[in-house]
Structures are given as C-alpha cells and as structure tokens.
Amino acid sequence: MSAMVKTLLPELVLVEDTLEDELMSLRGISRSGIPCQITVRRDGAEAIELLFSTKSAPPDLVVLDFKLPKFSGLEILTQMRENPATRFVPVVIVSGTNSGKTLRECYRVGANSCVTKPVDMSEYVEHLAHVTRYWLTVNQAAN
C-alpha cells in the first residue's frame, strides 16, 4: 500500500510570501466556487518540502509566486518538471511583472499559465477565480 493519500476534494497549493497577496489569492480561489483543500506555503523551501514529500500525493493545482525567498518560483517549477511525480501538475505562475522575458522563461520551464498581479487587486481576485475554476473543473488532468 502506498504512503500517498489523496483526499476527495481537489488539492491546491498556494505559494505566496506576501500576506496581502496571499489573502487576495485566497479570496480569488474562494470566489471560484470550487470547494478545494488549500495548503499555503510562504517560501520556496517550504514549497519544495511539501511538493516532494512522499507522505502525500501531488496536488491538483499549484499557484506559485514568481519571486520567493529561498527558492524562486522558477526554481521550484524547474524541479517540479524534472520530477516524475509532479511533472504534469498544473502550475499557474503569479507575478508582479508582465515582462515578456519573464513570461517566456516561465513558459519555457513549463508553466501552464501566467497571471500578472495588476494594480487593481479586485481584477487579480477575478483572474484567480477564473484560473482556479478552469484548472480544477474544465482541464482534463494527465493522471
């Protein structure tokens, strides 16, 4: 029997180091209307520890801040794509920049989607509601 345990609700991991952005992200995820189990990690090291734990199954979705302490979102994403257990987990990168260079690098490494944190946080909340709804209900996962 495997040590990995999967819950009935979709599992979402939010990796965000800024409290205000975390609260806005959680509001957006909640606004999606999709019941899910949310685990928050506040830096890259905590995220890596969770994502590569052999005690739990990989999440159904990761919402990953681009700039994080200890390991960047790009470093975490690179490790996820190199690991067979997390290779196909959908990852949405959230970033305070919409630089073409940054976006190209995220997609090159394997991001499924990129969301820019706009000045208007209500817009950001709506964007997160849409991506959560899409990745947890419309997208067909490669399990």
Side-chain angles (χ1 to χ4, degrees):
M1 184 168 168
S2 171
M4 293 196 282
V5 177
K6 191 72 173 165
T7 65
L8 296 176
L9 290 176
E11 294 181 46
L12 185 149
V13 172
L14 171 64
V15 186
E16 176 58 70
D17 63 318
T18 307
L19 181 59
E20 181 181 351
D21 290 348
E22 174 189 331
L23 295 174
M24 290 295 113
S25 297
L26 290 171
R27 185 173 295 151
I29 293 164
S30 174
R31 187 163 294 168
S32 75
I34 308 303
C36 59
Q37 179 179 322
I38 303 168
T39 303
V40 177
R41 293 295 180 260
R42 293 189 174 82
D43 67 45
E46 289 179 1
I48 286 172
E49 183 180 327
L50 173 70
L51 291 167
F52 302 112
S53 168
T54 57
K55 295 178 181 154
S56 61
D60 297 291
L61 176 63
V62 175
V63 177
L64 182 59
D65 190 14
F66 183 78
K67 291 183 181 179
L68 293 165
K70 300 185 182 174
F71 293 98
S72 73
L74 223 45
E75 290 171 308
I76 296 166
L77 179 58
T78 299
Q79 289 186 40
M80 288 181 70
R81 294 306 181 237
E82 292 172 350
N83 185 302
T86 58
R87 179 171 291 138
F88 298 112
V89 171
V91 176
V92 175
I93 297 282
V94 293
S95 176
T97 179
N98 64 355
S99 150
K101 180 181 177 185
T102 298
L103 295 173
R104 282 189 299 278
E105 187 65 9
C106 289
Y107 285 122
R108 185 191 68 74
V109 172
N112 297 94
S113 181
C114 295
V115 174
T116 301
K117 297 176 186 175
V119 175
D120 178 2
M121 288 308 270
S122 65
E123 185 179 339
Y124 175 68
V125 167
E126 285 305 312
H127 289 175
L128 265 240
H130 291 304
V131 297
T132 301
R133 196 174 305 112
Y134 172 79
W135 286 108
L136 294 181
T137 63
V138 176
N139 182 63
Q140 295 296 304
N143 293 335

